[in-house]
């Protein structure tokens, strides 16, 4: 069962949801309330992008840093 495509898909979705929740909490703590459009952009990121954001956000000092990072992801 653990090798089935459906099982792996469920695990990947759960992993992505958990990553989104953690990053949202971190970003909200750093910047207080974020614009809903920024939150939507974060939720649309792939799991590898979310992992990259988790590393990158420690260097952010303002919301503009997040916006710049998200814009770079859309170009890639």
């Amino acid at each position: 069962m653990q090798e089935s495509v459906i099982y792996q898909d469920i695990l990947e979705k759960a992993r992505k949801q958990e990553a989104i929740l953690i990053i949202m909490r971190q970003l909200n703590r750093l910047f207080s309330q974020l614009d809903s459009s920024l939150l939507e952009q974060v939720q649309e990121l792939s799991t590898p992008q979310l992992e990259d954001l988790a590393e990158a956000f420690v260097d952010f000092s303002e919301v503009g840093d997040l916006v710049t990072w998200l814009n770079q992801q859309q170009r890639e």
Side-chain angles (χ1 to χ4, degrees):
M1 178 175 158
Q2 292 180 351
E3 295 175 9
S4 77
V5 174
I6 294 171
Y7 181 79
Q8 293 300 318
D9 186 51
I10 291 169
L11 284 178
E12 177 60 28
K13 287 179 182 175
R15 183 174 174 231
K16 180 177 178 177
Q17 276 303 101
E18 186 166 336
I20 288 171
L21 290 174
I22 291 169
I23 290 170
M24 291 295 199
R25 288 174 65 188
Q26 291 171 327
L27 291 172
N28 279 326
R29 184 175 175 135
L30 184 62
F31 300 124
S32 298
Q33 282 296 83
L34 288 174
D35 184 77
S36 62
S37 66
L38 290 176
L39 296 176
E40 288 175 18
Q41 289 179 52
V42 170
Q43 290 176 342
E44 292 172 3
L45 295 172
S46 67
T47 303
Q49 288 174 315
L50 289 166
E51 291 169 351
D52 290 345
L53 176 56
E55 289 181 25
F57 102 96
V58 298
D59 296 325
F60 296 169
S61 59
E62 58 186 51
V63 175
D65 296 331
L66 173 62
V67 171
T68 299
W69 189 91
L70 289 169
N71 288 336
Q72 289 173 345
Q73 297 308 302
Q74 291 176 347
R75 284 184 250 152
E76 294 179 2

